[in-house]
Amino acid sequence: VKLASLSSGSSLNYRMNNKLRGEKVRLIACCSYKKFIEFALDQTKLHTHLTPSPLQESYKCMTALDGKTELQMISFQAPKIRLLRSFSFEVSGVNQVLDFAVFPEPEFDLPIFCANFYSAANTNIVVLDLNPLHDVISNKDYKDKYYKELLPLGLKYAELLPWGGKITSESLRFFSPIVIWTKFSSSQDNYNVLYSAFMEYYKAWLELMNQAEPEMDVSRISCNQKAQHRYLTWREQKDPGHQLLKKLVGETSAKDLLRNFLFHGVKELGSDTFLDYFPEYKSEDGSVNLKRSIIGKSYENRPWDAKGDFIGI
Ligand code: BLA
């Protein structure tokens, strides 16, 4: 009797473990980010004419060093869009990443669309924003131009997807008053909320793109270009995904991906270096300090009020 109950107990355990494992795999499968990319491409095509980017030839699909993980890359351009690109991968049942961004042509002072999602077994790290091209703390005109009408949208999702806690302080200058910075556990509900936030934010960005008129003033175009270059320079050097990317594809390929695909434009849009833009990162020997943050992490709570004013200082 003892033996029978033992063996049935362990087979129950075995079945339960399998069931749990199955559920986790299902959760990740049902929560795939592929749907996000398809939505974004379909919506973009309703508003503009997308053509494949020249980058598409060299950056399509890449197998990671583990021989299993497939990195998926797509890139397009359109009349007002310098580069629309997506980078994603899934390690079945372990983690998945989406880095989707749209960079406007320098004739436009449009925000940069930014969706960065990282999911591991039970943590999800999310940044979703229309990253401002120009400073939204001191430049009220720019803030009002793009974000005033979007504040209700931002407030709605700030409640559904609460502030994710302390963050690299330097990142704040690249975020808008409607940024969604959040962390949550994996569940179908959370995934659905994130998907609807993504859809609404992306539609809002497309609407801004539709209305945007090209700048004619050469000095303003060059100011937009410099701002985009500074943004690319920041992310190419300090993006939090670097470590994982290096682990996946090795240091040389990771650097190539960052410089020539993910943050393409860092070589083409300007010649200022990371230390020209961010001299506080200069180490004693003149090299770039490897720390992600010099100031440290801060902003335990959302540093904007309901009117979109910065209250973090
Ligand atoms: C974590 N990703 C984070 C964090 C932020 C971002 C703010 C929290 C850690 C921190 O405070 O820095 C995202 N930071 C951004 C974005 C900007 C910024 C979008 O400054 C834009 C200006 N994330 C990815 C990709 C990977 C990835 C492609 O986008 C992996 C290949 C991983 N992000 C990732 C991981 C963490 C993270 C693993 C947690 C590790 C950590 O906190 O350092």
Side-chain angles (χ1 to χ4, degrees):
V1 174
K2 216 174 187 182
L3 255 180
S5 75
L6 243 184
S7 82
S8 84
S10 60
S11 96
L12 184 68
N13 264 347
Y14 174 78
R15 281 207 306 274
M16 276 187 54
N17 280 342
N18 253 1
K19 186 161 175 264
L20 280 177
R21 227 174 276 136
E23 262 161 18
K24 206 180 254 175
V25 169
R26 248 198 323 279
L27 196 61
I28 294 203
C30 80
C31 300
S32 167
Y33 292 140
K34 289 207 177 89
K35 199 165 119 175
F36 291 62
I37 305 169
E38 278 162 26
F39 173 84
L41 291 181
D42 289 346
Q43 284 293 310
T44 316
K45 286 177 196 156
L46 295 177
H47 295 275
T48 187
H49 183 66
L50 280 181
T51 45
S53 154
L55 296 179
Q56 192 66 55
E57 302 231 330
S58 328
Y59 300 93
K60 283 186 264 222
C61 179
M62 183 177 175
T63 308
L65 296 174
D66 64 9
K68 291 188 300 209
T69 311
E70 298 277 319
L71 314 183
Q72 303 289 346
M73 288 160 273
I74 48 170
S75 54
F76 292 93
Q77 56 197 28
K80 295 180 185 177
I81 297 176
R82 183 180 68 80
L83 175 65
L84 175 157
R85 56 91 178 137
S86 167
F87 170 86
S88 59
F89 64 82
E90 289 181 29
V91 182
S92 185
V94 181
N95 61 19
Q96 62 164 332
V97 163
L98 173 66
D99 180 342
F100 178 85
V102 191
F103 302 100
E105 288 286 0
E107 281 75 15
F108 301 89
D109 67 356
L110 280 167
I112 294 162
F113 185 83
C114 162
N116 277 71
F117 307 153
Y118 170 81
S119 307
N122 201 31
T123 24
N124 295 265
I125 297 177
V126 166
V127 174
L128 174 64
D129 195 21
L130 277 55
N131 288 155
L133 193 64
H134 300 298
D135 186 336
V136 278
I137 295 171
S138 61
N139 187 343
K140 190 174 177 317
D141 289 346
Y142 185 78
K143 184 171 82 176
D144 288 350
K145 179 174 178 183
Y146 287 116
Y147 299 100
K148 206 172 178 179
E149 288 187 12
L150 296 176
L151 287 176
L153 177 70
L155 280 175
K156 175 168 103 179
Y157 284 106
E159 272 183 33
L160 293 167
L161 298 165
W163 187 252
K166 284 192 177 174
I167 190 171
T168 299
S169 309
E170 287 85 347
S171 291
L172 261 285
R173 57 190 147 183
F174 300 101
F175 292 171
S176 84
I178 63 161
V179 67
I180 301 296
W181 150 243
T182 193
K183 290 178 186 169
F184 53 74
S185 57
S186 302
S187 79
Q188 187 67 54
D189 281 352
N190 287 336
Y191 172 82
N192 292 345
V193 174
L194 183 63
Y195 185 52
S196 77
F198 179 84
M199 290 192 291
E200 288 203 65
Y201 272 57
Y202 196 59
K203 283 201 241 168
W205 188 86
L206 286 172
E207 210 40 63
L208 298 180
M209 180 197 73
N210 273 345
Q211 290 159 14
E213 295 288 343
E215 188 59 69
M216 295 299 170
D217 183 315
V218 181
S219 74
R220 286 187 174 225
I221 297 175
S222 109
C223 183
N224 291 342
Q225 179 157 332
K226 192 170 170 126
Q228 190 172 147
H229 186 249
R230 178 173 177 270
Y231 176 94
L232 294 165
T233 305
W234 165 256
R235 295 202 58 190
E236 192 231 353
Q237 193 81 39
K238 294 294 172 195
D239 218 50
H242 284 193
Q243 286 314 318
L244 187 59
L245 210 55
K246 275 186 201 157
K247 221 171 104 187
L248 275 169
V249 298
E251 182 146 7
T252 311
S253 298
K255 281 202 169 132
D256 175 59
L257 278 178
L258 287 160
R259 204 166 170 70
N260 299 314
F261 179 74
L262 288 168
F263 305 114
H264 171 86
V266 79
K267 288 192 312 211
E268 293 77 5
L269 297 189
S271 52
D272 279 354
T273 64
F274 182 82
L275 290 175
D276 291 333
Y277 291 121
F278 311 103
E280 64 277 22
Y281 280 85
K282 193 170 188 157
S283 325
E284 274 176 16
D285 67 359
S287 63
V288 175
N289 193 322
L290 293 178
K291 279 199 220 159
R292 279 247 306 289
S293 179
I294 298 295
I295 315 175
K297 288 200 179 191
S298 45
Y299 309 109
E300 183 78 50
N301 300 301
R302 190 175 183 85
W304 289 274
D305 66 14
K307 288 189 291 181
D309 289 329
F310 193 71
I311 47 164
I313 3 174

